[in-house]
Amino acid sequence: MAEALAAQVRSASVGTEPVIELVGAGKTYRTGAIEFEALREVDLRIGAGEYVAVVGPSGSGKSTLMHLIGCLDTLTVGSYRLAGEDISELTEVELARIRNHRIGFVFQQFHLLPSLSAWRNVELPMLYGRVPPGERRERAVDALERVGLGDKLHNRPGELSGGQQQRVAVARALVGEPDLLLADEPTGNLDSASTADVLALLDELNGQGRTIVLITHEPDVAAHADRVVRVLDGQVRSDEPSAGRRAGAR
Amino acid sequence: MSWAETLRTGLAAIRTHGLRSTLTVLGILIGIAAVILTVGLGLGTQKDVSEQISSLGSNLLIVTPGSSLSLEGLRGGFGTRPTLTRDDAEALASSVNTPDVAGVAPEKSTSLSLETSQTNWTTTVVGTTEDWPSVRGRTLSSGSFFTAADDAAAAAVVVLGSSTATELFGTTDVVGQSVTISDVTFTVVGVLADAGASDSTDLDDMAVIPLTTASQQVIGGRDRNSLTTVYVQAASTEQLSAAYQETETLLLNLHGISSADSADFTINSQDALVSTATAVYRTLTVLLTGIAALSLLVGGIGVMNIMLVSVTERTREIGLRKALGAPPWAIRRQFLAEAAVLGLAGGVLGAVLGILAARVLPDLLDTSIVVSGLAVGGSVVVAIGIGLTFGVYPATRAARLAPIDALRSE
Ligand SMILES: Nc1ncnc2c1ncn2[C@@H]1O[C@H](COP(=O)(O)OP(=O)(O)OP(=O)(O)O)[C@@H](O)[C@H]1O
Ligand SMILES: [Mg+2]
């Protein structure tokens, strides 16, 4: 029943009202006198409830695109509307609120705070979201259990393996129950069993109607998505339904 | 994020960087303790000096030769002509024109060597009259003071200060012993009781002999009739200014001087001396405090350095917190709390150290240290200010970065 409803929501929103709408978007990095155009002329629309994989070779601009979508960086040219709002017109405080409430981000480099235990790291987004302390702990523990780290609540990042750190980062991204989950190679350090767990989690979240954008190198992982966006030299080269979807696997 | 949460996060961060936090606190602590101690030392010296002046006696006018106004007068006073003599002192004591004067003690003093068969000791030898103990507010711990008859007969008798007696004989039980001053052998007839509370040791290290004996046999010389000081005691505090007028008028008459401006003597009241000395020491205190404040500034720069390093190093943390949805004010508040805690800890510990040192040091240095509430409060406020300024400014700067730039920084 819930599945059906979610699917209905998904199909209704796809193509009608995009959550993410990049038009003529470009990003140029400046390092001293050297300029580097990491993204150019990107037009991308992603509807509510879509599950999109972004693929492309190393250095092609995938992370850059993800940071722009996550409101962590600003465009050099073009426009970006998130849920109908022009991001360039928002204040710092409004942007902070959007990042906190609507977006969950899994960084390629995890970015965990080394001095905090796993559950304190997962708690962080809720600290800025007015969630009462008791509930914060409960939800943080819950999220860690969902990624299979129920026994590592009090370990600091330095006391966790690379794959475990990545799963803490995933737990932190989903603990705030965001509408939009952005994951930069969330399975890069995981073995096949853990990868399957995380992917199942993403499928479940997508099943609840959440929009997911995922960067990956692995075709198997990309196959989980509805749509695959291929980036090359800072440009979107192709944008088509995923192999899995075309094959009717899902 | 609530204040309690902010404080918890701040304390956790302080604990994480334990050594660095300790050093920061230490920098502030030393500066604060230095300010409290120097201000305290200045105020303490000021207090010691005014106590010393009060211990000269009560309701006193101090008449010294020479004018305070003109150089010429000064030269007259210390050089050729004796401008203050025993006759002046006797006139002040006996004249019907000085009804408000209760007592007069002339003093002729110089530094001389006192010898016994075993040892010798150089101290101030004061020639005076039998009224000296009452005018100077001194009592004897043993024996008795010399009499008018002793003075008239130029008797070779001496009253010793307690520390002088101890230096010469190892005891204060010395009545009847002999002391040689300038080849004259004196008999000790009495020992002065300790001057009192303050550590004005000068008042306990002296030898008092009859004025006649002093001018005829001991000090002598060309200015044998001149006096070093005349202490004039007013009958009461209310009569002090009347006594001042009478003394001035009488001495001007005796010296045949028509205008007070060309007087060849100077009259000071204890109050005037206290306020002069206080002014001098206040200047000194301000100067010392300036130097201590400089050390606080240097400490502050050290703190700034540590804070800058700390915040720069934590730019990634700031970036992450922003990426997870921390608004700029929450970042500012977090560093504000951290810096304030460090500043407060340094300030409070510095104040405690300063106050403790102010308890211990006077015994070692032989001076008083007065802990001033203003200095303590002021420096704690300054300490917090240092923490805030140098902690929050770089944090605010970091909070303005795009989250991803802050996250990428090394
Ligand atoms: N801050 C920066 N300053 C200058 N150049 C940058 C900066 N960040 C990224 N770049 C450049 O932009 C290009 C795209 O970088 P990006 O991180 O988006 O690549 P990517 O597709 O995520 O690669 P990977 O798969 O290796 O993570 C790269 O050539 C990189 O060198
Ligand atoms: Mg990348």
Short mmCIF file of all heavy atoms in Angstrom, two decimals, chain A residues 29 64 67 71-73 92-93 96-97 99-100 107 111-113 115-116 120-121 123-125 127-128 130 133 136 172, chain B residues 1 5 8-9 12 16 316-317 320-331 334 399-405 407-408:
data_model
loop_
_atom_site.label_atom_id
_atom_site.label_comp_id
_atom_site.label_asym_id
_atom_site.label_seq_id
_atom_site.Cartn_x
_atom_site.Cartn_y
_atom_site.Cartn_z
N TYR A 29 36.91 27.24 -10.86
CA TYR A 29 37.75 27.37 -9.67
C TYR A 29 38.91 28.30 -9.99
O TYR A 29 39.48 28.23 -11.07
CB TYR A 29 38.33 26.01 -9.26
CG TYR A 29 37.32 25.07 -8.66
CD1 TYR A 29 36.99 23.89 -9.30
CD2 TYR A 29 36.72 25.38 -7.44
CE1 TYR A 29 36.07 23.02 -8.75
CE2 TYR A 29 35.80 24.50 -6.89
CZ TYR A 29 35.48 23.33 -7.54
OH TYR A 29 34.58 22.48 -6.98
N THR A 64 31.95 18.22 -7.73
CA THR A 64 31.64 19.64 -7.87
C THR A 64 30.13 19.82 -8.08
O THR A 64 29.49 20.66 -7.42
CB THR A 64 32.41 20.22 -9.07
OG1 THR A 64 33.80 19.98 -8.86
CG2 THR A 64 32.17 21.71 -9.21
N HIS A 67 28.25 19.19 -4.83
CA HIS A 67 28.37 20.28 -3.86
C HIS A 67 27.45 21.44 -4.22
O HIS A 67 26.87 22.07 -3.34
CB HIS A 67 29.82 20.76 -3.77
CG HIS A 67 30.75 19.71 -3.23
ND1 HIS A 67 32.07 19.61 -3.62
CD2 HIS A 67 30.55 18.70 -2.35
CE1 HIS A 67 32.64 18.59 -3.00
NE2 HIS A 67 31.73 18.02 -2.22
N CYS A 71 24.01 22.88 -2.01
CA CYS A 71 24.11 24.25 -1.48
C CYS A 71 25.37 24.42 -0.63
O CYS A 71 25.38 25.22 0.32
CB CYS A 71 22.90 24.64 -0.65
SG CYS A 71 21.35 24.48 -1.50
N LEU A 72 26.40 23.65 -0.92
CA LEU A 72 27.65 23.80 -0.16
C LEU A 72 28.59 24.76 -0.88
O LEU A 72 29.58 25.20 -0.33
CB LEU A 72 28.34 22.44 -0.02
CG LEU A 72 27.55 21.38 0.72
CD1 LEU A 72 28.29 20.05 0.71
CD2 LEU A 72 27.29 21.83 2.16
N ASP A 73 28.27 25.05 -2.14
CA ASP A 73 29.12 25.92 -2.94
C ASP A 73 28.20 26.71 -3.85
O ASP A 73 27.02 26.37 -4.00
CB ASP A 73 30.10 25.04 -3.77
CG ASP A 73 31.41 25.76 -4.03
OD1 ASP A 73 31.46 26.99 -3.79
OD2 ASP A 73 32.37 25.10 -4.45
N GLU A 92 22.34 33.45 4.24
CA GLU A 92 23.15 32.41 4.88
C GLU A 92 22.31 31.55 5.82
O GLU A 92 22.43 30.33 5.84
CB GLU A 92 24.27 33.07 5.69
CG GLU A 92 25.57 33.25 4.93
CD GLU A 92 26.25 31.92 4.68
OE1 GLU A 92 26.41 31.15 5.66
OE2 GLU A 92 26.61 31.64 3.53
N VAL A 93 21.47 32.22 6.61
CA VAL A 93 20.67 31.50 7.61
C VAL A 93 19.65 30.60 6.92
O VAL A 93 19.45 29.44 7.32
CB VAL A 93 19.98 32.50 8.56
CG1 VAL A 93 19.09 31.77 9.55
CG2 VAL A 93 21.03 33.32 9.31
N ALA A 96 21.46 27.63 5.54
CA ALA A 96 21.80 26.70 6.62
C ALA A 96 20.59 25.85 6.97
O ALA A 96 20.68 24.64 7.18
CB ALA A 96 22.28 27.47 7.84
N ARG A 97 19.42 26.48 6.98
CA ARG A 97 18.18 25.78 7.31
C ARG A 97 17.85 24.73 6.25
O ARG A 97 17.45 23.61 6.57
CB ARG A 97 17.06 26.81 7.40
CG ARG A 97 16.02 26.46 8.45
CD ARG A 97 14.96 27.51 8.53
NE ARG A 97 13.67 26.83 8.66
CZ ARG A 97 13.30 26.16 9.75
NH1 ARG A 97 14.09 26.09 10.78
NH2 ARG A 97 12.12 25.55 9.80
N ARG A 99 20.03 23.23 4.24
CA ARG A 99 21.01 22.14 4.37
C ARG A 99 20.64 21.23 5.54
O ARG A 99 20.80 20.02 5.49
CB ARG A 99 22.42 22.70 4.59
CG ARG A 99 23.03 23.33 3.36
CD ARG A 99 24.52 23.55 3.54
NE ARG A 99 24.84 24.60 4.49
CZ ARG A 99 25.15 25.85 4.15
NH1 ARG A 99 25.18 26.21 2.89
NH2 ARG A 99 25.42 26.73 5.07
N ASN A 100 20.14 21.85 6.58
CA ASN A 100 19.83 21.09 7.78
C ASN A 100 18.56 20.25 7.64
O ASN A 100 18.53 19.09 8.04
CB ASN A 100 19.70 22.05 8.97
CG ASN A 100 19.59 21.31 10.28
OD1 ASN A 100 18.58 21.37 10.96
ND2 ASN A 100 20.65 20.57 10.63
N PHE A 107 29.71 12.63 2.32
CA PHE A 107 30.89 13.15 1.63
C PHE A 107 31.80 12.01 1.17
O PHE A 107 31.90 10.98 1.84
CB PHE A 107 31.68 14.07 2.57
CG PHE A 107 30.96 15.32 2.91
CD1 PHE A 107 30.21 15.40 4.08
CD2 PHE A 107 31.01 16.42 2.08
CE1 PHE A 107 29.53 16.55 4.40
CE2 PHE A 107 30.33 17.58 2.40
CZ PHE A 107 29.58 17.65 3.55
N HIS A 111 34.32 13.16 6.23
CA HIS A 111 34.26 14.37 7.07
C HIS A 111 33.55 14.11 8.39
O HIS A 111 32.55 14.73 8.71
CB HIS A 111 33.57 15.51 6.33
CG HIS A 111 34.39 16.06 5.22
ND1 HIS A 111 35.72 16.40 5.38
CD2 HIS A 111 34.10 16.34 3.92
CE1 HIS A 111 36.19 16.86 4.24
NE2 HIS A 111 35.24 16.84 3.33
N LEU A 112 34.10 13.19 9.16
CA LEU A 112 33.60 12.99 10.53
C LEU A 112 34.49 13.82 11.45
O LEU A 112 35.66 14.06 11.15
CB LEU A 112 33.68 11.52 10.92
CG LEU A 112 32.91 10.56 10.01
CD1 LEU A 112 33.18 9.11 10.42
CD2 LEU A 112 31.42 10.86 10.04
N LEU A 113 33.93 14.27 12.59
CA LEU A 113 34.77 15.02 13.55
C LEU A 113 35.54 14.01 14.40
O LEU A 113 34.93 13.19 15.10
CB LEU A 113 33.91 15.92 14.44
CG LEU A 113 33.31 17.13 13.74
CD1 LEU A 113 32.62 18.04 14.76
CD2 LEU A 113 34.37 17.91 12.98
N SER A 115 37.12 14.07 17.11
CA SER A 115 37.08 14.07 18.59
C SER A 115 35.76 13.54 19.13
O SER A 115 35.61 13.36 20.33
CB SER A 115 37.34 15.48 19.10
OG SER A 115 36.33 16.34 18.63
N LEU A 116 34.79 13.33 18.24
CA LEU A 116 33.47 12.90 18.71
C LEU A 116 33.26 11.41 18.44
O LEU A 116 33.73 10.87 17.44
CB LEU A 116 32.37 13.69 18.01
CG LEU A 116 32.39 15.22 18.19
CD1 LEU A 116 31.17 15.83 17.51
CD2 LEU A 116 32.41 15.60 19.67
N ARG A 120 27.81 10.72 18.57
CA ARG A 120 27.85 12.19 18.64
C ARG A 120 27.99 12.79 17.25
O ARG A 120 27.44 13.84 16.94
CB ARG A 120 29.03 12.64 19.52
CG ARG A 120 28.80 12.46 21.01
CD ARG A 120 27.85 13.49 21.55
NE ARG A 120 27.80 13.44 23.01
CZ ARG A 120 26.84 14.03 23.72
NH1 ARG A 120 25.88 14.70 23.13
NH2 ARG A 120 26.85 13.96 25.03
N ASN A 121 28.74 12.10 16.37
CA ASN A 121 28.87 12.55 14.98
C ASN A 121 27.52 12.50 14.27
O ASN A 121 27.17 13.43 13.55
CB ASN A 121 29.88 11.69 14.24
CG ASN A 121 31.26 12.34 14.18
OD1 ASN A 121 31.43 13.36 13.53
ND2 ASN A 121 32.22 11.74 14.86
N GLU A 123 24.70 12.66 15.64
CA GLU A 123 23.79 13.60 16.31
C GLU A 123 23.92 15.02 15.74
O GLU A 123 22.98 15.82 15.81
CB GLU A 123 24.13 13.60 17.81
CG GLU A 123 23.23 14.50 18.65
CD GLU A 123 23.86 14.82 20.01
OE1 GLU A 123 25.09 14.73 20.13
OE2 GLU A 123 23.11 15.14 20.93
N LEU A 124 25.12 15.34 15.20
CA LEU A 124 25.43 16.71 14.79
C LEU A 124 24.32 17.47 14.04
O LEU A 124 23.96 18.57 14.46
CB LEU A 124 26.72 16.75 13.97
CG LEU A 124 28.03 16.80 14.78
CD1 LEU A 124 29.22 16.77 13.83
CD2 LEU A 124 28.08 18.04 15.65
N PRO A 125 23.77 16.90 12.93
CA PRO A 125 22.77 17.69 12.20
C PRO A 125 21.57 18.04 13.08
O PRO A 125 21.01 19.13 12.95
CB PRO A 125 22.34 16.76 11.06
CG PRO A 125 23.30 15.65 11.03
CD PRO A 125 24.03 15.61 12.33
N LEU A 127 21.63 18.70 16.21
CA LEU A 127 22.00 19.78 17.14
C LEU A 127 21.53 21.12 16.59
O LEU A 127 21.18 22.02 17.34
CB LEU A 127 23.52 19.84 17.29
CG LEU A 127 24.18 19.00 18.37
CD1 LEU A 127 25.67 19.29 18.37
CD2 LEU A 127 23.59 19.34 19.72
N TYR A 128 21.60 21.24 15.25
CA TYR A 128 21.23 22.50 14.64
C TYR A 128 19.79 22.49 14.17
O TYR A 128 19.35 23.40 13.49
CB TYR A 128 22.19 22.81 13.49
CG TYR A 128 23.61 22.90 13.97
CD1 TYR A 128 24.54 21.90 13.69
CD2 TYR A 128 24.03 23.99 14.73
CE1 TYR A 128 25.83 21.98 14.16
CE2 TYR A 128 25.32 24.08 15.20
CZ TYR A 128 26.22 23.06 14.92
OH TYR A 128 27.50 23.15 15.39
N ARG A 130 16.99 21.78 16.30
CA ARG A 130 16.04 21.91 17.42
C ARG A 130 15.35 20.59 17.79
O ARG A 130 14.17 20.56 18.12
CB ARG A 130 14.95 22.94 17.11
CG ARG A 130 15.49 24.34 16.99
CD ARG A 130 14.43 25.24 16.40
NE ARG A 130 15.02 26.44 15.83
CZ ARG A 130 15.18 27.58 16.51
NH1 ARG A 130 14.77 27.68 17.74
NH2 ARG A 130 15.74 28.61 15.94
N PRO A 133 17.18 16.70 23.21
CA PRO A 133 18.34 15.82 23.45
C PRO A 133 18.01 14.34 23.52
O PRO A 133 18.69 13.53 22.89
CB PRO A 133 18.87 16.31 24.80
CG PRO A 133 18.42 17.72 24.91
CD PRO A 133 17.13 17.81 24.17
N ARG A 136 17.29 13.05 20.17
CA ARG A 136 18.51 13.06 19.34
C ARG A 136 19.27 11.77 19.52
O ARG A 136 19.67 11.12 18.55
CB ARG A 136 19.41 14.23 19.76
CG ARG A 136 18.95 15.56 19.26
CD ARG A 136 20.11 16.52 19.17
NE ARG A 136 20.77 16.75 20.44
CZ ARG A 136 20.57 17.83 21.19
NH1 ARG A 136 19.74 18.78 20.80
NH2 ARG A 136 21.22 17.97 22.31
N ARG A 172 24.70 9.57 9.40
CA ARG A 172 24.54 11.00 9.68
C ARG A 172 23.68 11.67 8.61
O ARG A 172 22.92 12.58 8.90
CB ARG A 172 25.92 11.66 9.75
CG ARG A 172 25.87 13.11 10.17
CD ARG A 172 27.25 13.72 10.23
NE ARG A 172 27.88 13.71 8.92
CZ ARG A 172 29.18 13.96 8.73
NH1 ARG A 172 29.97 14.23 9.75
NH2 ARG A 172 29.68 13.93 7.52
N MET B 1 20.54 25.33 18.59
CA MET B 1 21.49 24.80 19.59
C MET B 1 21.41 25.66 20.84
O MET B 1 21.62 26.86 20.81
CB MET B 1 22.89 24.87 18.99
CG MET B 1 23.87 23.98 19.68
SD MET B 1 25.31 23.80 18.63
CE MET B 1 26.42 22.94 19.66
N GLU B 5 23.97 23.33 25.33
CA GLU B 5 24.61 22.52 24.30
C GLU B 5 25.90 23.17 23.83
O GLU B 5 26.93 22.51 23.66
CB GLU B 5 23.68 22.41 23.08
CG GLU B 5 22.63 21.32 23.18
CD GLU B 5 23.27 19.97 23.39
OE1 GLU B 5 24.39 19.77 22.90
OE2 GLU B 5 22.65 19.13 24.06
N ARG B 8 28.55 22.77 26.37
CA ARG B 8 29.04 21.39 26.40
C ARG B 8 30.02 21.16 25.25
O ARG B 8 31.12 20.62 25.43
CB ARG B 8 27.88 20.40 26.30
CG ARG B 8 28.30 18.94 26.47
CD ARG B 8 27.14 17.97 26.30
NE ARG B 8 26.54 18.00 24.98
CZ ARG B 8 27.10 17.47 23.88
NH1 ARG B 8 28.26 16.88 23.96
NH2 ARG B 8 26.50 17.56 22.72
N THR B 9 29.61 21.62 24.05
CA THR B 9 30.48 21.48 22.88
C THR B 9 31.80 22.21 23.10
O THR B 9 32.87 21.69 22.80
CB THR B 9 29.78 22.06 21.63
OG1 THR B 9 28.48 21.50 21.55
CG2 THR B 9 30.55 21.77 20.38
N ALA B 12 33.98 20.39 25.55
CA ALA B 12 34.54 19.19 24.92
C ALA B 12 35.73 19.57 24.05
O ALA B 12 36.77 18.91 24.06
CB ALA B 12 33.47 18.49 24.09
N THR B 16 39.57 18.42 24.37
CA THR B 16 40.24 17.73 23.28
C THR B 16 41.63 18.31 23.03
O THR B 16 42.59 17.59 22.77
CB THR B 16 39.41 17.85 21.98
OG1 THR B 16 38.10 17.42 22.27
CG2 THR B 16 40.00 17.00 20.88
N ARG B 316 38.04 23.22 9.06
CA ARG B 316 37.32 22.05 8.52
C ARG B 316 36.12 21.72 9.38
O ARG B 316 35.05 21.40 8.87
CB ARG B 316 38.23 20.84 8.45
CG ARG B 316 39.33 20.97 7.43
CD ARG B 316 40.30 19.85 7.59
NE ARG B 316 39.64 18.58 7.30
CZ ARG B 316 40.09 17.73 6.38
NH1 ARG B 316 41.18 18.00 5.72
NH2 ARG B 316 39.45 16.62 6.15
N GLU B 317 36.32 21.79 10.69
CA GLU B 317 35.19 21.51 11.59
C GLU B 317 34.08 22.54 11.36
O GLU B 317 32.89 22.18 11.31
CB GLU B 317 35.67 21.56 13.05
CG GLU B 317 34.52 21.37 14.03
CD GLU B 317 34.93 21.56 15.48
OE1 GLU B 317 36.12 21.36 15.80
OE2 GLU B 317 34.05 21.91 16.28
N LEU B 320 32.31 21.69 8.22
CA LEU B 320 31.42 20.55 8.36
C LEU B 320 30.15 20.96 9.09
O LEU B 320 29.03 20.62 8.67
CB LEU B 320 32.10 19.42 9.13
CG LEU B 320 31.14 18.26 9.37
CD1 LEU B 320 30.87 17.53 8.06
CD2 LEU B 320 31.64 17.31 10.42
N ARG B 321 30.31 21.70 10.19
CA ARG B 321 29.13 22.12 10.94
C ARG B 321 28.20 22.96 10.05
O ARG B 321 26.98 22.82 10.10
CB ARG B 321 29.53 22.89 12.19
CG ARG B 321 30.14 21.96 13.27
CD ARG B 321 30.56 22.74 14.50
NE ARG B 321 31.25 21.88 15.46
CZ ARG B 321 30.63 21.14 16.38
NH1 ARG B 321 29.33 21.18 16.50
NH2 ARG B 321 31.33 20.37 17.20
N LYS B 322 28.81 23.83 9.24
CA LYS B 322 27.99 24.63 8.32
C LYS B 322 27.29 23.73 7.32
O LYS B 322 26.12 23.91 7.02
CB LYS B 322 28.87 25.64 7.58
CG LYS B 322 29.30 26.80 8.44
CD LYS B 322 29.81 27.93 7.58
CE LYS B 322 28.65 28.63 6.89
NZ LYS B 322 29.11 29.78 6.10
N ALA B 323 28.03 22.75 6.77
CA ALA B 323 27.45 21.86 5.77
C ALA B 323 26.28 21.09 6.35
O ALA B 323 25.32 20.76 5.65
CB ALA B 323 28.51 20.89 5.26
N LEU B 324 26.34 20.81 7.65
CA LEU B 324 25.27 20.04 8.29
C LEU B 324 24.13 20.95 8.74
O LEU B 324 23.16 20.48 9.33
CB LEU B 324 25.81 19.26 9.48
CG LEU B 324 26.85 18.19 9.14
CD1 LEU B 324 27.31 17.48 10.39
CD2 LEU B 324 26.28 17.19 8.14
N GLY B 325 24.29 22.26 8.51
CA GLY B 325 23.16 23.15 8.78
C GLY B 325 23.35 24.12 9.93
O GLY B 325 22.37 24.68 10.41
N ALA B 326 24.59 24.34 10.37
CA ALA B 326 24.80 25.32 11.43
C ALA B 326 24.76 26.72 10.83
O ALA B 326 25.51 27.00 9.90
CB ALA B 326 26.15 25.10 12.10
N PRO B 327 23.87 27.59 11.31
CA PRO B 327 23.87 28.97 10.83
C PRO B 327 25.09 29.70 11.40
O PRO B 327 25.64 29.28 12.42
CB PRO B 327 22.57 29.55 11.38
CG PRO B 327 22.23 28.68 12.55
CD PRO B 327 22.82 27.34 12.30
N PRO B 328 25.52 30.80 10.75
CA PRO B 328 26.72 31.50 11.21
C PRO B 328 26.70 31.86 12.69
O PRO B 328 27.70 31.76 13.37
CB PRO B 328 26.73 32.76 10.33
CG PRO B 328 26.00 32.37 9.10
CD PRO B 328 24.97 31.39 9.52
N TRP B 329 25.51 32.26 13.18
CA TRP B 329 25.49 32.67 14.59
C TRP B 329 25.80 31.52 15.53
O TRP B 329 26.37 31.71 16.61
CB TRP B 329 24.17 33.36 14.96
CG TRP B 329 22.93 32.52 14.74
CD1 TRP B 329 22.10 32.59 13.67
CD2 TRP B 329 22.41 31.49 15.59
NE1 TRP B 329 21.09 31.67 13.79
CE2 TRP B 329 21.24 30.98 14.95
CE3 TRP B 329 22.79 30.95 16.82
CZ2 TRP B 329 20.47 29.96 15.51
CZ3 TRP B 329 22.02 29.93 17.37
CH2 TRP B 329 20.88 29.44 16.72
N ALA B 330 25.44 30.30 15.13
CA ALA B 330 25.71 29.15 16.02
C ALA B 330 27.21 28.90 16.10
O ALA B 330 27.74 28.57 17.16
CB ALA B 330 24.99 27.92 15.51
N ILE B 331 27.90 29.07 14.95
CA ILE B 331 29.36 28.92 14.93
C ILE B 331 29.99 29.98 15.82
O ILE B 331 30.85 29.69 16.66
CB ILE B 331 29.90 29.09 13.49
CG1 ILE B 331 29.25 28.11 12.54
CG2 ILE B 331 31.41 29.00 13.47
CD1 ILE B 331 29.79 26.73 12.58
N GLN B 334 29.49 29.24 19.42
CA GLN B 334 30.30 28.14 19.93
C GLN B 334 31.70 28.63 20.29
O GLN B 334 32.22 28.32 21.38
CB GLN B 334 30.40 27.03 18.88
CG GLN B 334 31.23 25.85 19.36
CD GLN B 334 31.54 24.88 18.23
OE1 GLN B 334 30.79 24.78 17.26
NE2 GLN B 334 32.64 24.19 18.36
N ALA B 399 33.44 31.29 9.55
CA ALA B 399 32.02 31.02 9.36
C ALA B 399 31.50 31.67 8.09
O ALA B 399 30.44 31.31 7.58
CB ALA B 399 31.23 31.52 10.57
N ARG B 400 32.24 32.64 7.56
CA ARG B 400 31.78 33.32 6.34
C ARG B 400 32.17 32.55 5.08
O ARG B 400 31.65 32.81 4.01
CB ARG B 400 32.38 34.74 6.26
CG ARG B 400 31.55 35.72 7.03
CD ARG B 400 31.82 37.14 6.56
NE ARG B 400 31.67 38.03 7.69
CZ ARG B 400 32.68 38.59 8.31
NH1 ARG B 400 33.90 38.43 7.87
NH2 ARG B 400 32.46 39.35 9.36
N LEU B 401 33.11 31.62 5.21
CA LEU B 401 33.53 30.85 4.05
C LEU B 401 32.39 29.98 3.54
O LEU B 401 31.52 29.58 4.31
CB LEU B 401 34.70 29.92 4.42
CG LEU B 401 36.04 30.55 4.74
CD1 LEU B 401 37.00 29.49 5.22
CD2 LEU B 401 36.59 31.25 3.51
N ALA B 402 32.42 29.67 2.24
CA ALA B 402 31.49 28.66 1.72
C ALA B 402 31.85 27.35 2.42
O ALA B 402 33.03 27.07 2.63
CB ALA B 402 31.64 28.52 0.22
N PRO B 403 30.83 26.56 2.81
CA PRO B 403 31.12 25.35 3.59
C PRO B 403 32.17 24.48 2.92
O PRO B 403 33.05 23.94 3.59
CB PRO B 403 29.78 24.63 3.64
CG PRO B 403 28.77 25.67 3.40
CD PRO B 403 29.40 26.76 2.60
N ILE B 404 32.09 24.38 1.58
CA ILE B 404 32.99 23.44 0.92
C ILE B 404 34.43 23.96 0.94
O ILE B 404 35.38 23.18 1.07
CB ILE B 404 32.49 23.12 -0.51
CG1 ILE B 404 33.09 21.82 -0.98
CG2 ILE B 404 32.77 24.25 -1.48
CD1 ILE B 404 32.60 20.62 -0.19
N ASP B 405 34.59 25.30 0.87
CA ASP B 405 35.94 25.86 0.96
C ASP B 405 36.53 25.60 2.33
O ASP B 405 37.71 25.25 2.47
CB ASP B 405 35.92 27.37 0.68
CG ASP B 405 35.60 27.66 -0.79
OD1 ASP B 405 35.83 26.76 -1.62
OD2 ASP B 405 35.12 28.76 -1.08
N LEU B 407 35.66 23.19 4.31
CA LEU B 407 35.89 21.75 4.43
C LEU B 407 37.18 21.31 3.74
O LEU B 407 37.85 20.40 4.18
CB LEU B 407 34.72 21.00 3.80
CG LEU B 407 33.61 20.54 4.73
CD1 LEU B 407 32.49 19.92 3.95
CD2 LEU B 407 34.14 19.57 5.77
N ARG B 408 37.50 22.01 2.63
CA ARG B 408 38.67 21.61 1.86
C ARG B 408 39.96 22.13 2.46
O ARG B 408 41.03 21.65 2.11
CB ARG B 408 38.55 22.15 0.43
CG ARG B 408 37.74 21.24 -0.45
CD ARG B 408 38.29 21.30 -1.86
NE ARG B 408 37.28 20.85 -2.81
CZ ARG B 408 36.39 21.67 -3.35
NH1 ARG B 408 36.43 22.96 -3.08
NH2 ARG B 408 35.49 21.20 -4.17
#
